[in-house]
Amino acid sequence: MSDRDKLPIEIAFLVLYGIDRAILRRAAASAEDTDVSADRALLAEGATSAQHFYELLAHHLGVAYMHKPLPISGDQHLDNAMRVEMVRLSPNPQGLDYVLAPRGAGLALVLGRLAQGRWRDHERMAITSPQRLAALIRLHHRRAIVTAASHGLPDWNETLSARAGWSGHQRLSASILGCAMMVGTWFWPEATLAALCLLFSLLFLAMVYVRLLATMWSFGTISDPRPRRPDNSLPIYTIVVPLYREARVVPDLVAALRRLDYPAARLDIKMVVETSDRDTIDALQIEHLPDRFEILIAPAGVPQTKPRALNVALQFTRGSFLVVYDAEDRPQPDQLRKAVDRFERSGDDLACVQARLAIDNSADSWITRVFTLEYAALFDVINPGLARLGLPIALGGTSNHFRVNALCRVNGWDAWNVTEDIDLGIRLARFGYLVDVLQSSTLEEAPYRLKAWLGQRCRWQKGWMVTLQTHSRNPARLFADLGLAGGSAIFAILCGTIVSSLLGPVFVAGVLLQATFGPLLSPHTSADWAWTFLSALLIVSGIASVVLPIAVGIKRRRLFDTAIYVAMLPPYLLLLSYATWQALFEMMGRPHVWTKTEHGLAKNRVRPT
């Protein structure tokens, strides 16, 4: 029996076209190990390109290969475009009736009929690759794709989307509050000022004690590593990487994704690129990506945001689980395996696990060093503590792993929110889902230039404001969804973060003035004593809520050489206040505008080993 006869029928015909038998045997062995078809294993490993494979298949079957898009009939559904293997064509100059992209069992069936002499090509058909066929279907349905990506969530439930802006009740409440403040300031200025100070102090203290409580609850045992799962038991995993003006980092990104310890044939990697971003598209094509990668060009539409791109990809995902990575990310190679293990040891109510983000260009500037400390506090201390408390988590914009069915149930991301991650974490909680943290890290690049940092932080702060606006439209419903503890924690985190960023410098300046020229350090009246006590409480607890999580994060990340940069927190927080005021003004006029952060500019990124 010849080598060709021993090979799976899906790839055996390639021997006739000079493909090395050793390559085909390796693909057959990989297919058996991972329980996929031999053609998928061959193409996923990049042994040959999909275009070359299907060109040879077309030649072998004696039919044409479709290089360019052709019009398809109107009865082709958009659902599961990557699973479709044949579509009917509309009348076209080539006179073709069908285009076929067979895979797995379908490919074996076609080749089996050819071997038995039962293949008939009397129906005028062409062969193409699955990627080209899916792109053809998407082109035919581009209007529906754009509508679903931009308006799927608000059309389903407008109150859960930032598209709606301020509700009538919110406008009325803001008007009444504004009038009350004006009247109070005019007639009772001291009492009004005292009431406002008390209100803002309570919001700040609520955030402070949520952070301190999360820090205390972040201490716990780490689960023991479990035995490595066999490759054939792993589910298909979709990786979505939204890209915009990222040509500079494409080689490093592709290298990082290639390092992932997961069977290639069970990966579904979507590189989502905007139609106008020719440089990034060209950079991806230069990489000659294997079949597990798909360049998914998002049709033009508004708003042009990262969550809209994610929603485009969600419509074509093949995996049971999905993770979002940014262009500059370097996830630990075993992260997907850990996520699968975490999901499958939990109930279906666990919708998302957030990997821990860390900065790998800390040495670039003092800003990146403080940024590193900030990330260590948030992802290694605060988020794990909130998860252990069962409270909603403000997700990071990357390395969040989802159950696809849960993600679809809450209608994906809000295309109109510039911090789609925070919003989605809250929305999942409102639908009864849990979010947890994952004992795995992803390295990221932090902006080291002040202008870039301010632009990024302005977008983040604006997103917090937009998220607060969205989820406060109906406070009673929010508390009904999340319970008293969850609703209170969300309001404390959102309101406290915004208020402290806006008014923190004002408070510090007021304390200094009162200490220098007022009775703060030598109180006489009851009002003086109350102000002194409140100021001391705010200062001590505020410092503790910032420094303690950072101290724990330093220990857990072993960032001892960076610890001295805690001294740079005052100017860092002052810059944060400036970015927050800028975000407030943007919120009024440009709430949905996305400020792009440039990547690939770092000077001292730590190279992965």
Side-chain angles (χ1 to χ4, degrees):
M1 185 178 291
S2 68
D3 282 342
R4 180 186 167 210
D5 293 330
K6 296 177 183 177
L7 292 169
I9 192 172
E10 308 98 279
I11 60 174
F13 75 96
L14 294 172
V15 173
L16 300 173
Y17 298 93
I19 302 295
D20 191 334
R21 290 181 175 85
I23 293 175
L24 299 179
R25 283 195 293 269
R26 283 198 298 271
S30 176
E32 186 174 352
D33 291 341
T34 56
D35 194 23
V36 299
S37 62
D39 57 301
R40 184 174 293 281
L42 179 74
L43 296 175
E45 295 287 352
T48 185
S49 70
Q51 178 174 329
H52 185 51
F53 179 92
Y54 282 94
E55 283 176 341
L56 296 180
L57 176 65
H59 185 273
H60 191 62
L61 296 174
V63 298
Y65 178 81
M66 187 195 77
H67 288 275
K68 296 181 179 180
L70 293 171
I72 65 177
S73 64
D75 60 352
Q76 176 59 53
H77 295 294
L78 177 62
D79 295 341
N80 301 323
M82 280 301 294
R83 296 181 177 88
V84 173
E85 296 189 14
M86 184 175 71
V87 298
R88 183 187 296 273
L89 297 171
S90 296
N92 57 85
Q94 285 82 356
L96 299 171
D97 293 330
Y98 294 91
V99 60
L100 188 68
R103 288 160 290 178
L107 177 59
L109 178 64
V110 168
L111 291 169
R113 287 182 175 179
L114 179 68
Q116 296 167 13
R118 296 191 294 118
W119 170 254
R120 298 289 183 268
D121 63 347
H122 60 277
E123 290 183 315
R124 295 169 297 179
M125 70 168 51
I127 292 290
T128 195
S129 68
Q131 293 87 346
R132 286 183 181 272
L133 186 62
L136 185 65
I137 296 172
R138 289 195 293 267
L139 180 64
H140 182 71
H141 291 282
R142 60 187 177 277
R143 184 171 299 176
I145 294 170
V146 169
T147 300
S150 297
H151 304 285
L153 174 63
D155 286 351
W156 174 63
N157 189 332
E158 189 173 36
T159 63
L160 293 176
S161 171
R163 188 187 71 177
W166 298 103
S167 70
H169 289 94
Q170 287 174 315
R171 293 179 186 277
L172 178 61
S173 300
S175 299
I176 293 173
L177 180 61
C179 290
M181 288 174 58
M182 291 176 62
V183 171
T185 303
W186 182 264
F187 290 102
W188 309 284
E190 291 186 2
T192 301
L193 180 60
L196 289 175
C197 287
L198 180 61
L199 173 63
F200 293 141
S201 298
L202 291 175
L203 289 174
F204 176 72
L205 286 173
M207 178 201 69
V208 162
Y209 288 113
V210 168
R211 287 176 61 91
L212 291 174
L213 190 62
T215 301
M216 292 170 56
W217 279 80
S218 70
F219 293 91
T221 57
I222 299 175
S223 58
D224 295 330
R226 295 173 66 85
R228 180 183 176 89
R229 292 167 58 98
D231 288 353
N232 61 9
S233 71
L234 292 170
I236 294 177
Y237 216 116
T238 295
I239 299 172
V240 181
V241 188
L243 301 168
Y244 182 58
R245 300 205 309 260
E246 299 285 10
R248 186 186 293 108
V249 299
V250 162
D252 285 343
L253 168 65
V254 172
L257 295 178
R258 287 179 185 271
R259 284 194 294 268
L260 290 173
D261 176 19
Y262 206 84
R266 292 185 174 273
L267 284 176
D268 169 38
I269 304 176
K270 309 288 189 189
M271 315 288 270
V272 191
V273 192
E274 298 293 332
T275 306
S276 59
D277 190 6
R278 193 67 246 176
D279 288 344
T280 303
I281 295 173
D282 291 344
L284 287 169
Q285 291 175 339
I286 289 172
E287 292 293 318
H288 301 293
L289 300 172
D291 187 61
R292 63 183 183 274
F293 291 82
E294 181 185 11
I295 302 173
L296 185 58
I297 300 178
V302 292
Q304 187 173 308
T305 58
K306 173 183 173 181
R308 188 187 83 97
L310 294 174
N311 283 334
V312 170
L314 182 60
Q315 298 176 63
F316 308 106
T317 181
R318 292 195 299 112
S320 304
F321 302 102
L322 177 150
V323 61
V324 177
Y325 289 132
D326 282 343
E328 80 280 16
D329 285 356
R330 294 173 179 173
Q332 287 185 323
D334 64 349
Q335 190 173 111
L336 302 189
R337 288 181 180 270
K338 285 185 174 180
V340 169
D341 183 66
R342 183 70 180 84
F343 278 121
E344 298 197 349
R345 286 190 289 117
S346 305
D348 291 341
D349 57 346
L350 180 64
C352 175
V353 289
Q354 169 72 64
R356 303 187 178 197
L357 306 183
I359 302 303
D360 66 355
N361 65 319
S362 178
D364 279 1
S365 70
W366 74 270
I367 288 178
T368 56
R369 291 184 187 276
V370 182
F371 202 126
T372 301
L373 299 178
E374 187 182 21
Y375 259 34
L378 177 60
F379 291 103
D380 288 274
V381 183
I382 301 296
N383 277 357
L386 291 174
R388 292 195 68 201
L389 286 165
L391 296 176
I393 291 176
L395 295 174
T398 177
S399 301
N400 25 52
H401 300 251
F402 299 94
R403 290 188 194 272
V404 170
N405 56 3
L407 191 55
C408 291
R409 189 193 165 204
V410 301
N411 234 284
W413 293 267
D414 184 5
W416 301 86
N417 193 320
V418 294
T419 51
E420 76 296 333
D421 40 10
I422 297 169
D423 168 75
L424 183 55
I426 297 173
R427 186 153 26 99
L428 285 168
R430 293 187 67 172
F431 277 80
Y433 288 108
L434 299 176
V435 177
D436 206 346
V437 295
L438 187 66
Q439 293 290 339
S440 179
S441 295
T442 296
L443 299 180
E444 281 204 312
E445 172 191 348
Y448 73 90
R449 295 172 178 167
L450 178 58
K451 182 178 179 181
W453 182 90
L454 285 172
Q456 183 188 69
R457 198 51 61 103
C458 175
R459 172 170 61 81
W460 288 1
Q461 297 298 93
K462 180 171 67 174
W464 281 71
M465 297 175 191
V466 170
T467 301
L468 177 60
Q469 175 196 58
T470 299
H471 291 281
S472 64
R473 290 195 181 110
N474 189 338
R477 182 58 189 268
L478 178 70
F479 277 90
D481 291 341
L482 296 178
L484 180 61
S488 299
I490 286 300
F491 269 113
I493 292 170
L494 292 177
C495 294
T497 299
I498 295 168
V499 168
S500 62
S501 298
L502 288 172
L503 301 180
V506 177
F507 168 74
V508 172
V511 168
L512 292 176
L513 287 173
Q514 286 291 317
T516 305
F517 304 106
L520 186 67
L521 300 182
S522 56
H524 301 293
T525 66
S526 298
D528 292 344
W529 279 104
W531 172 241
T532 299
F533 173 76
L534 182 60
S535 298
L537 179 64
L538 291 172
I539 291 171
V540 172
S541 58
I543 292 174
S545 73
V546 173
V547 173
L548 287 181
I550 287 178
V552 177
I554 288 172
K555 183 176 184 298
R556 291 179 181 172
R557 281 281 167 192
R558 305 186 67 80
L559 299 171
F560 304 113
D561 59 334
T562 310
I564 192 173
Y565 284 87
V566 171
M568 297 302 294
L569 279 171
Y572 189 85
L573 294 176
L574 189 61
L575 289 171
L576 176 61
S577 181
Y578 174 81
T580 307
W581 279 102
Q582 184 180 353
L584 181 62
F585 289 112
E586 278 200 16
M587 172 77 176
M588 298 175 184
R590 304 192 307 161
H592 311 304
V593 174
W594 185 280
T595 303
K596 174 75 174 69
T597 303
E598 297 294 333
H599 299 124
L601 303 175
K603 298 181 291 184
N604 299 289
R605 291 200 79 178
V606 177
R607 291 292 168 186
T609 55

